[in-house]
Amino acid sequence: MSRDRYVDFLRAWAIVLVVLGHWLITALLHESDGELTAPELLASVPWTQWLTLLFQIMPLFFLAGGHAAAGSWARTRSAGGTVTGWVGRRAVRLLLPTALYSGLVLLAVGVCSTVGVDPGTLALVGWAMAMQFWFLPVYLLLSVLTPVLHATHRRWGLAVPVAMGAVALIADTVVLTAHAPHVGLLNYVLVWGVAYQLGFCWRDGLLTERRPLLPTALAAGGGLAFAALVALGPFPVSLILVTGQTPSNTNPPSAAMLSWAVAQVGACLLAAPVLRRLLERERVWRVVRPAGGVSMTLYLWHMLPVLVAAAAFYLTGLAPEPALGSAAWWALRVPWLLVLGVILVALVSALRPLEGGLVRRYERTRPDVGPYRPWLFWPGLAACVTALARFATRGFADEGRFPVLPALGLALGAVLVLLHRRPAEPGSTERSEATKGDALEEAA
């Protein structure tokens, strides 16, 4: 089965826009006492919240992820594969680069804490380096649920995302009216799960071939619902968390976020024919493909260039500091983005061989052929999801302290996940049929 270039493009495009969005709204200020602060642009300059409509594009990543997962799980089922083997394959692809990233960041936090770095500064840096982690536990949970979600999809089709969306709306209503924030945790799986489930439907033609007007209905209906919820309802326009703003559209994902996700899916389907033709051009594909291959590295490491630029230009006083949101400040965004881009390209160039070497060594020493050890894998995955969720909400240095328990939880969980495959037999080069199929269409 050949790869769908448009699906690969969506995943790469989503990550690139998230990176650019984070960089664009990141503001730094060197105070007179020498302290470096990060004023919140979206709160200080409220009109910039409209920019989040352009950069909050993660629904498309979940859509593309669902599209790929549907094919990957179907191949595994037809080859007689197991749930543990399939989820394990996806978990390893996420957790190996994540464990490397987290280990290096935690090492830096430990050194800085030992030498007496200001706790406030350390907490800010630790938060910046973990702000993107919200995605990882959500995506891992959806991967775990994929066999069940795909079974319901095969039986009920489009009724499944409709039902998930309805439950998400009920949960959001309870959060707003009964002030029950824990109920909102369901929407991390439900709202993003709607986009993921629509990926199943897209792959099977339920959104296009059988219903040619449905993409237009999704785009128009989702867009109008979002506009109504912002204009008439209690929801803000910002699709990124703004400090002190309640309710939030992302913490937890709200009805407005669900509407925007549906609108994005519709727009994506409408744009598919034109973009697919464009991606068939080899010159275009040669530009797009490398971004997809390094998307996880880009996503994990994209805030480190901000810290490098902060130390090189702001702490030294070399960077001009016009008023936040002024014309001069916006003009300086151009060199700011260019500098960060150069640093990130150099960083990715250095890291990719290391990440690739780790993956290749693991695949060589513990090939994906089964039988697996579910008693190691599932507790390990639970520990990883818990630790990643903790880092996502509190950062790598909550209150300026080294996070001992979450760090141990992630380390132990990652080791258990990696050990769920058995060591290779001497001289063995066997690969499972499902693994061979996934070489055509990667899961993450």
Side-chain angles (χ1 to χ4, degrees):
M1 181 179 179
S2 62
R3 297 178 69 104
D4 188 327
R5 290 184 175 185
Y6 186 49
V7 174
D8 289 344
F9 164 77
L10 290 178
R11 287 187 286 199
W13 181 242
I15 294 299
V16 168
L17 273 190
V18 167
V19 170
L20 290 176
H22 284 165
W23 286 354
L24 183 68
I25 67 174
T26 297
L28 298 174
L29 182 62
H30 193 198
E31 304 284 0
S32 57
D33 60 0
E35 183 181 0
L36 191 65
T37 61
E40 193 172 354
L41 178 67
L42 299 181
S44 302
V45 188
W47 72 262
T48 58
Q49 295 180 27
W50 288 93
L51 297 176
T52 65
L53 301 186
L54 300 175
F55 291 102
Q56 179 50 278
I57 201 169
M58 287 306 285
L60 297 188
F61 191 95
F62 284 97
L63 175 73
H67 187 288
S72 175
W73 172 240
R75 286 193 299 274
T76 297
R77 285 177 61 248
S78 64
T82 65
V83 173
T84 299
W86 184 81
V87 177
R89 185 159 57 250
R90 294 167 71 83
V92 165
R93 288 173 182 162
L94 283 174
L95 290 176
L96 271 175
T98 301
L100 173 64
Y101 172 83
S102 301
L104 293 175
V105 173
L106 287 168
L107 176 62
V109 168
V111 171
C112 292
S113 180
T114 301
V115 300
V117 171
D118 174 65
T121 301
L122 192 57
L124 177 63
V125 171
W127 170 82
M129 296 299 285
M131 61 183 293
Q132 71 275 36
F133 266 32
W134 71 268
F135 158 80
L136 296 169
V138 175
Y139 202 78
L140 285 169
L141 284 173
L142 287 173
S143 295
V144 169
L145 294 172
T146 293
V148 174
L149 293 174
H150 197 257
T152 62
H153 161 74
R154 294 196 307 273
R155 181 164 184 176
W156 290 296
L158 271 171
V160 181
V162 171
M164 292 173 68
V167 176
L169 294 177
I170 294 171
D172 199 31
T173 302
V174 172
V175 171
L176 293 174
T177 58
H179 305 290
H182 288 92
V183 175
L185 295 177
L186 292 171
N187 276 2
Y188 283 100
V189 173
L190 290 171
V191 171
W192 299 117
V194 167
Y196 191 78
Q197 195 81 19
L198 287 173
F200 297 172
C201 299
W202 180 26
R203 185 183 185 91
D204 289 349
L206 298 181
L207 300 181
T208 50
E209 289 132 8
R210 304 181 195 177
R211 297 174 177 85
L213 297 180
L214 188 55
T216 302
L218 291 174
L224 289 173
F226 177 81
L229 289 168
V230 171
L232 306 176
F235 300 102
V237 70
S238 178
L239 294 173
I240 295 176
L241 181 64
V242 178
T243 301
Q245 189 177 78
T246 55
S248 166
N249 285 327
T250 59
N251 187 29
S254 69
M257 177 63 80
L258 175 61
S259 300
W260 194 249
V262 170
Q264 279 195 359
V265 169
C268 160
L269 298 176
L270 290 173
V274 173
L275 290 177
R276 276 199 169 105
R277 287 195 295 270
L278 185 63
L279 290 168
E280 287 303 315
R281 300 178 183 178
E282 288 305 316
R283 289 184 180 180
V284 175
W285 183 239
R286 282 197 296 268
V287 174
V288 173
R289 187 175 183 178
V294 298
S295 59
M296 190 62 183
T297 309
L298 291 174
Y299 188 77
L300 287 172
W301 290 93
H302 73 273
M303 289 305 290
L304 182 58
V306 174
L307 302 183
V308 173
F313 300 108
Y314 283 85
L315 289 179
T316 59
L318 294 176
E321 297 187 34
L324 184 65
S326 65
W329 187 87
W330 284 108
L332 286 172
R333 292 288 90 181
V334 176
W336 167 254
L337 294 177
L338 290 174
V339 167
L340 296 184
V342 169
I343 296 172
L344 186 59
V345 168
L347 188 62
V348 169
S349 299
L351 287 169
R352 280 300 290 173
L354 177 59
E355 290 181 349
L358 285 175
V359 173
R360 287 190 296 273
R361 179 174 177 80
Y362 178 75
E363 295 288 347
R364 184 171 62 251
T365 57
R366 293 182 179 270
D368 184 20
V369 295
Y372 305 103
R373 297 163 171 165
W375 61 91
L376 292 178
F377 175 73
W378 295 107
L381 186 62
C384 288
V385 168
T386 302
L388 292 171
R390 166 64 168 70
F391 289 136
T393 54
R394 300 190 183 182
F396 281 111
D398 186 28
E399 297 182 357
R401 295 193 297 265
F402 184 85
V404 177
L405 291 180
L408 289 175
L410 181 59
L412 176 61
V415 168
L416 292 178
V417 167
L418 295 177
L419 290 178
H420 87 281
R421 294 187 192 173
R422 298 177 185 274
E425 296 293 335
S428 173
T429 58
E430 181 184 4
R431 297 176 71 193
S432 70
E433 289 302 315
T435 304
K436 294 174 185 176
D438 277 349
L440 293 174
E441 185 172 5
E442 295 203 5

